[in-house]
Amino acid sequence: MSRRVIMLLALACGVAVGNVYFPQAISPLVADGLRIPPDSAALVVTAAQLGYAAGILLLVPLGDRVPHRTLIVTLFGLTGLGLLAASSTSALPPLFGAGVLVGVTTVIAPIIGPMAAGLVAPDRRGAVSGIMLAGSIGGMLLSRTFGGVLGEWLGWRAPYLVAAVLSLLMALVLVFVLRRNEPATRQPYPRLVLEPLRLLRTEPALRQSCLYQALTFGGFSAVWTSVALLITGPAFGLGAQTVGALALVNAATMIAAPFAGRLVDRRGSDFVNTVTMAGVLLSAFVLVPGALGGVTGMVALVLGTLLLDVAMQSGMIANQIRIYALRPEVRSRLNTAYMVCAYLGGAAGSWLGARSYGLFGWLGVCGLLALLALTALGRHLLTGSHRAPAPAPVPSAATPPHVRHGD
């Protein structure tokens, strides 16, 4: 792949992932617009993450079965239509349903990740995966910023409309950029969808990575779902655009992701996992003064969310690189199992975070984050490190995966 194509694929990851995260910044605006309680409006975040988990389970395995250009372009088109539908709703139930549908179809980054990893040599896999994740992180952070600011200016429907336009434009661009590849399998769809469950049963390293990411991503989602309620509540009394600005401060995570990928290439996934889990646990304590509000509280939120974002995303890279090396011929299905578990953890974390905030305030959210991180770290230290599998052989130059135009 040329560097231009790598950067375009990273951008595509960002556009797709952003559709899952911008509702985190506008849920208070949804509450005002639809005249519903804030914790009920937080369900728009849960809807996107539940849909994302379902889409990973049902659609990402097709990355091994359907030509990538056909699959990715179709999903971007359907995502754009789903976002248009969400922008026209006038009550929570249809908005929740549209959010689930958008989540289902915007599962493009988990398809692009294994595709890109298979197009480079094993010793560059971590670096390229880090670039793809940096694109996803950029989409995650900028979508919160764009959602919060645009929502304050034009109302909560505006972010849905702009996201729809971006998704449809990306579909149009990728029609002309992506080339045809030969699918890795001709398995029938039912067997393809059930394969991740079999892999979870037979691959201990996959189960371990899934557990780690479900716990840490659950804590991450709990914090970012609740921070919008904290900032727009009595402690700070600020608007949704402040949530977006806080997310923008964490753009440093984009720089950390490629570095984490190179560190995995050098030191291995287990070492990086240990460091990142400890970082997630530490972030829970750094975030505690956020309950005080004012300048002290904002400093705590900036430092704590930055540490949390860097640690969670670095752990995601470490776990993905480990599972990509298990069995190269089923990378999309391995990634399906991994990402379904991660986003089920994220959806549960969003729901638990909103409930913890409602019952115990910000300190309850920090306690939830610490509990999840401590569980992951304790499990990792007690079970010991698993030896990483040997890298897959470099594909022969005689059979490049992306060489012919057309589907």
Side-chain angles (χ1 to χ4, degrees):
M1 289 189 297
S2 68
R3 185 165 183 82
R4 179 180 66 87
V5 173
I6 291 174
M7 292 298 106
L8 179 62
L9 290 177
L11 176 62
C13 289
V15 171
V17 168
N19 296 324
V20 182
Y21 289 95
F22 75 79
Q24 290 180 341
I26 64 170
S27 64
L29 302 176
V30 172
D32 291 341
L34 299 182
R35 300 174 187 258
I36 57 177
D39 58 344
S40 296
L43 287 174
V44 299
V45 181
T46 303
Q49 292 178 335
L50 284 175
Y52 203 72
I56 292 169
L57 178 64
L58 298 174
L59 299 179
V60 171
L62 292 174
D64 290 332
R65 179 69 175 79
V66 177
H68 290 134
R69 184 174 71 177
T70 301
L71 182 59
I72 291 170
V73 170
T74 300
L75 290 178
F76 262 127
L78 293 174
T79 298
L81 296 177
L83 289 164
L84 289 174
S87 71
S88 65
T89 59
S90 57
L92 181 59
L95 179 59
F96 184 90
V100 170
L101 290 175
V102 169
V104 168
T105 57
T106 198
V107 290
I108 294 153
I111 296 170
I112 290 177
M115 178 187 77
L119 297 178
V120 296
D123 61 353
R124 291 190 59 223
R125 199 166 287 149
V128 170
S129 295
I131 293 172
M132 295 301 113
L133 187 56
S136 297
I137 294 168
M140 181 191 306
L141 300 176
L142 295 176
S143 68
R144 294 192 199 121
T145 303
F146 128 83
V149 173
L150 194 62
E152 284 283 348
W153 287 351
L154 301 175
W156 67 267
R157 300 177 192 276
Y160 283 97
L161 288 170
V162 175
V165 172
L166 290 175
S167 294
L168 294 173
L169 283 176
M170 188 57 66
L172 182 62
V173 170
L174 292 177
V175 165
F176 298 101
V177 172
L178 294 180
R179 297 183 178 184
R180 185 179 188 273
N181 69 293
E182 290 296 331
T185 182
R186 296 293 182 183
Q187 282 188 350
Y189 178 73
R191 288 184 58 192
L192 204 63
V193 172
L194 292 175
E195 181 76 2
L197 298 177
R198 188 187 68 79
L199 291 169
L200 274 171
R201 188 179 70 252
T202 59
E203 297 288 350
L206 175 61
R207 291 197 302 273
Q208 185 184 44
S209 292
C210 289
L211 175 64
Y212 293 165
Q213 200 59 31
L215 290 169
T216 56
F217 190 57
F220 170 89
S221 297
V223 168
W224 277 104
T225 299
S226 305
V227 78
L229 304 176
L230 175 67
I231 287 178
T232 58
F236 288 92
L238 301 172
Q241 72 269 23
T242 308
V243 182
L246 177 62
L248 189 60
V249 170
N250 290 351
T253 317
M254 297 174 62
I255 301 172
F259 171 79
R262 292 192 292 271
L263 187 61
V264 173
D265 288 337
R266 293 197 302 269
R267 298 293 300 272
S269 294
D270 288 311
F271 171 81
V272 175
N273 260 325
T274 303
V275 174
T276 57
M277 291 174 195
V280 173
L281 179 60
L282 178 60
S283 73
F285 296 96
V286 177
L287 286 166
V288 166
L292 300 175
V295 175
T296 301
M298 186 56 68
V299 170
L301 292 182
V302 169
L303 296 178
T305 56
L306 179 59
L307 177 58
L308 174 61
D309 282 17
V310 170
M312 192 280 293
Q313 301 291 358
S314 298
M316 178 171 280
I317 293 173
N319 287 306
Q320 281 186 316
I321 298 308
R322 172 161 46 196
I323 67 170
Y324 288 164
L326 291 175
R327 292 176 55 189
E329 74 279 7
V330 294
R331 281 199 183 104
S332 286
R333 283 160 281 179
L334 288 165
N335 203 38
T336 295
Y338 173 71
M339 296 299 290
V340 166
C341 292
Y343 275 89
L344 285 176
S350 295
W351 185 84
L352 289 171
R355 294 301 175 272
S356 297
Y357 185 84
L359 292 172
F360 307 110
W362 182 246
L363 295 183
V365 177
C366 295
L368 174 63
L369 174 62
L371 177 63
L372 294 173
L374 190 60
T375 302
L377 182 60
R379 176 77 163 77
H380 183 57
L381 296 178
L382 287 174
T383 57
S385 299
H386 288 270
R387 184 177 297 276
V394 181
S396 168
T399 56
H402 278 236
V403 293
R404 294 191 299 279
H405 290 278
D407 283 334

